[in-house]
Amino acid sequence: MEKYKVGIIGGTGMVGQRFVTLMENHPWFQLTVIAASPRSAGKTYEEAVSGRWAMKTPIPEEAKNLVVMNAQADVEKIAGLVDFVFCAVDMKKEEIRALEEQYAKAECPVVSNNSAHRWTDDVPMVVPELNAQHLEVIASQRQRLGTKRGFIAVKSNCSIQSYAPALHPLLKYGIDKVLVCTYQAISGAGKTFERWPEMVDNLIPYIGGEEEKSEQEPLKVWGKVEGGKIVKAEGPAITAQCLRVPVSDGHTAAVFVSFKGEKPSIEQIKADWASFSGRAQELNLPSAPKQFLHYFEEPDRPQAKLDRELEGGMAISLGRLREDTQYDYKFVGLSHNTLRGAAGGAVLLAELLCAEGYIDHK
């Protein structure tokens, strides 16, 4: 098949670097443009990330000699060179919102890793296995923007991937309330231990804005499209605490859940997890895990170091499901925060958009 030409806006940061590595040998996508801030523009990508390449694998050959473009000044030029862009810029929220709309209005679809548009009510925030049907709101968004091709779609916050997918197949039992504590890796802050020595042998009990996202974003994912807008679900009620921990990659969640009526058995929950799949698996998308939810019977799993790379870092690892004294059940979830939670999740979303006909070749 003819490959889609792809641009990465904000390609020099940690998530941008992850996007660059994921484009290497991708069966559908061809990295064509990398754009970043004015200080990187005009340099080769290798020069631009010199001394701050944070990935464990080397810079892909296809990216090294690409000349970095100016993410803000070259919008029209970039839009003319690519079929769509990934966006992972580090700017103020209102600036990101304006920039992403600029690309969309230049008839360039935007698949965003940023949080800026997550609460725009005609912008779908999609986990491909959970709410692929929300893509239908793109027609209304295009009407608002006055575009034929251009639109914005976003992926959700990295931390909710470690528990929302596990709760999703249990919604049919009537989940009443959820308590979740997330233990989040330093790469979620765009850091490595070399660049953040204060995190070694440390834990920080605060991540700005993260608890609100953790409590509210699942409700948009579980919402419905009405009148050209996504109306968030009224429940279940979620309360969250989010901590930064000395782990390089992998967000872990300790989850407590109660049901309104008769609760399912432990065996039923495990069976629901084992059999659950979504639109990404139906379409056999290149980045989709074959088995989305993996349950470990061992009492000391999942572990970030052992399990974060499961199915290319795109599967969710679960364990320690047991009855609780105050809630009905408790369990532990784990997701790779820069793969499933960030760049990988956005790549899977882009694959879904292409497969469903929302992104075409120019």
Side-chain angles (χ1 to χ4, degrees), residues 93-153:
K93 275 194 182 173
E94 59 272 19
E95 293 172 348
I96 295 172
R97 277 196 286 269
L99 184 67
E100 290 181 346
E101 286 211 358
Q102 247 186 300
Y103 277 94
K105 285 177 177 174
E107 298 294 3
C108 181
V110 178
V111 182
S112 178
N113 184 71
N114 301 304
S115 64
H117 270 295
R118 285 186 198 150
W119 286 102
T120 306
D121 57 17
D122 61 5
V123 171
M125 179 174 73
V126 173
V127 180
E129 288 86 353
L130 308 189
N131 63 327
Q133 71 278 10
H134 283 190
L135 296 183
E136 68 186 61
V137 83
I138 287 170
S140 303
Q141 186 195 141
R142 281 174 168 159
Q143 218 171 350
R144 173 175 65 84
L145 295 174
T147 59
K148 288 188 172 65
R149 283 187 87 251
F151 66 86
I152 302 158

Side-chain angles (χ1 to χ4, degrees), residues 78-321:
I78 293 166
L81 292 170
V82 300
D83 294 314
F84 72 93
V85 296
F86 291 113
C87 190
V89 293
D90 183 14
M91 297 159 65
K92 291 177 181 165
K93 275 194 182 173
E94 59 272 19
E95 293 172 348
I96 295 172
R97 277 196 286 269
L99 184 67
E100 290 181 346
E101 286 211 358
Q102 247 186 300
Y103 277 94
K105 285 177 177 174
E107 298 294 3
C108 181
V110 178
V111 182
S112 178
N113 184 71
N114 301 304
S115 64
H117 270 295
R118 285 186 198 150
W119 286 102
T120 306
D121 57 17
D122 61 5
V123 171
M125 179 174 73
V126 173
V127 180
E129 288 86 353
L130 308 189
N131 63 327
Q133 71 278 10
H134 283 190
L135 296 183
E136 68 186 61
V137 83
I138 287 170
S140 303
Q141 186 195 141
R142 281 174 168 159
Q143 218 171 350
R144 173 175 65 84
L145 295 174
T147 59
K148 288 188 172 65
R149 283 187 87 251
F151 66 86
I152 302 158
V154 300
K155 53 151 287 300
S156 62
N157 192 42
C158 52
S159 66
I160 79 165
Q161 312 287 335
S162 55
Y163 58 92
L167 295 172
H168 188 81
L170 309 181
L171 291 173
K172 63 190 176 188
Y173 301 116
I175 296 175
D176 180 35
K177 57 182 180 174
V178 176
L179 183 153
V180 61
C181 296
T182 59
Y183 303 88
Q184 301 186 203
I186 63 170
S187 55
K191 305 281 192 179
T192 61
F193 286 117
E194 291 73 28
R195 284 155 52 187
W196 202 4
E198 299 85 358
M199 271 309 301
V200 176
D201 191 30
N202 196 14
L203 180 154
I204 299 174
Y206 173 72
I207 306 170
E210 202 73 6
E211 285 159 4
E212 183 188 10
K213 292 174 191 172
S214 300
E215 293 169 355
Q216 292 298 317
E217 286 191 18
L219 301 180
K220 182 171 180 180
V221 170
W222 293 329
K224 56 189 175 187
V225 178
E226 278 182 1
K229 295 177 178 178
I230 297 163
V231 180
K232 74 174 188 175
E234 290 181 9
I238 304 172
T239 184
Q241 275 211 115
C242 301
L243 299 86
R244 187 74 70 195
V245 295
V247 170
S248 59
D249 294 300
H251 287 354
T252 300
V255 188
F256 301 77
V257 58
S258 283
F259 296 90
K260 289 172 184 165
E262 188 181 340
K263 66 183 183 183
S265 67
I266 284 178
E267 292 70 29
Q268 184 60 60
I269 292 173
K270 288 180 184 177
D272 286 336
W273 285 344
S275 64
F276 181 67
S277 66
R279 190 69 178 138
Q281 285 72 33
E282 277 174 42
L283 293 166
N284 198 24
L285 299 176
S287 300
K290 296 289 179 266
Q291 176 76 34
F292 183 34
L293 306 176
H294 288 249
Y295 186 81
F296 289 87
E297 293 290 352
E298 298 89 331
D300 60 351
R301 303 281 286 278
Q303 292 181 28
K305 204 167 189 177
L306 297 178
D307 303 313
R308 60 191 170 206
E309 300 285 350
L310 194 61
E311 295 219 38
M314 293 299 287
I316 310 301
S317 301
L318 304 168
R320 301 207 70 210
L321 175 64

Side-chain angles (χ1 to χ4, degrees), residues 22 315 322 351 354:
L22 291 174
R322 60 220 192 275
E351 292 167 1
C354 292

Side-chain angles (χ1 to χ4, degrees), residues 321-357:
L321 175 64
R322 60 220 192 275
E323 290 191 334
D324 183 59
T325 55
Q326 295 180 37
Y327 286 71
D328 287 330
Y329 293 113
K330 53 191 168 189
F331 65 90
V332 173
L334 168 73
S335 63
H336 195 303
N337 57 296
T338 69
L339 286 167
R340 168 55 77 163
V347 171
L348 185 61
L349 173 53
E351 292 167 1
L352 177 68
L353 287 159
C354 292
E356 300 284 30

